[in-house]
């Protein structure tokens, strides 16, 4: 039986670092595609983000195939996933609550969902992450509420050394 485990949270909370460490230990991982979209746009000389609607739809599209592919493997750790795109589309009123409910049921991940809380000491911005720390807190709160709304068992990853955080999820 395959397991799909989500590492999620706001920007700059350490998701990528944990995922990279898991990959180095031989675990199967899937990255967050938001950075990839932003990098591609910057390389093409465009603004970092398209409209929220286009950005959310593209994120959703890019997360669908890895979700399906994970069903062929024992365990895959995801840095975010379909759920965050669905939440954004619903909150922006691009899809109905009924459609969000359907998608959340169709793209169900395994528990626990690992939530990375905002951690100001490690938060940085760069060319792909231009949000403020306050925005990272807002994103975390929405993600926290959304996963709980859909009855996911969620565990908050402590703000500790990377080795401890990786051990927490394994």
């Amino acid at each position: 039986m395959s397991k799909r485990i989500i590492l999620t949270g706001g920007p700059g909370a350490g998701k990528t670092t944990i995922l990279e460490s898991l990959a180095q230990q031989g675990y199967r991982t899937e990255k967050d595609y938001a950075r990839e979209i932003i990098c591609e746009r910057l390389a093409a000389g465009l603004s970092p983000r398209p409209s929220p609607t286009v950005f959310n739809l593209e994120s959703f599209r890019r997360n669908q195939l890895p979700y399906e592919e994970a069903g062929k493997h024992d365990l895959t750790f995801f840095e975010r996933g379909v759920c965050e795109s669905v939440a954004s589309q619903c909150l922006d009123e691009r899809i109905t609550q009924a459609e969000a409910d359907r998608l959340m049921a169709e793209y169900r991940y395994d528990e626990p969902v690992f939530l990375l809380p905002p951690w100001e000491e490690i938060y940085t911005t760069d060319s792909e992450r231009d949000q403020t720390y306050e925005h990272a807190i807002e994103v975390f709160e929405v993600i926290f509420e959304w996963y709980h709304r859909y009855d996911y068992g969620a565990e908050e990853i402590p703000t500790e050394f990377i080795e401890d955080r990786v051990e927490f999820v394994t």
Side-chain angles (χ1 to χ4, degrees), residues 109-164:
Y109 292 83
D110 293 288
E111 296 180 37
V113 169
F114 292 105
L115 298 167
L116 283 82
W119 188 3
E120 193 165 17
E121 288 78 11
I122 67 167
Y123 187 82
T124 60
T125 58
D126 56 31
S127 61
E128 293 94 41
R129 182 188 306 123
D130 56 4
Q131 303 98 330
T132 64
Y133 178 71
E134 291 71 25
H135 178 75
I137 294 170
E138 291 171 11
V139 170
F140 175 79
E141 289 170 352
V142 168
I143 290 170
F144 180 89
E145 188 276 325
W146 194 263
Y147 276 101
H148 281 84
R149 177 188 302 176
Y150 287 94
D151 297 321
Y152 275 95
E155 293 186 27
E156 214 169 282
I157 296 178
T159 53
E160 299 175 353
F161 294 110
I162 181 63
E163 297 83 10
D164 298 326

Side-chain angles (χ1 to χ4, degrees), residues 43-104:
L46 302 169
S47 65
R49 287 177 191 79
S51 72
T53 301
V54 171
F55 191 75
N56 291 330
L57 288 173
E58 183 62 15
S59 293
F60 178 77
R61 185 187 69 74
R62 291 187 190 202
N63 279 301
Q64 285 177 302
L65 182 59
Y67 178 91
E68 299 298 332
E69 189 66 28
K72 301 174 186 174
H73 304 277
D74 291 336
L75 172 64
T76 304
F77 287 97
F78 288 82
E79 180 182 8
R80 295 198 180 147
V82 172
C83 301
E84 287 81 354
S85 299
V86 172
S88 295
Q89 291 177 61
C90 187
L91 292 171
D92 289 340
E93 299 180 349
R94 303 296 178 203
I95 61 174
T96 65
Q97 186 62 57
E99 180 68 2
D101 293 345
R102 184 189 69 74
L103 290 168
M104 291 297 287

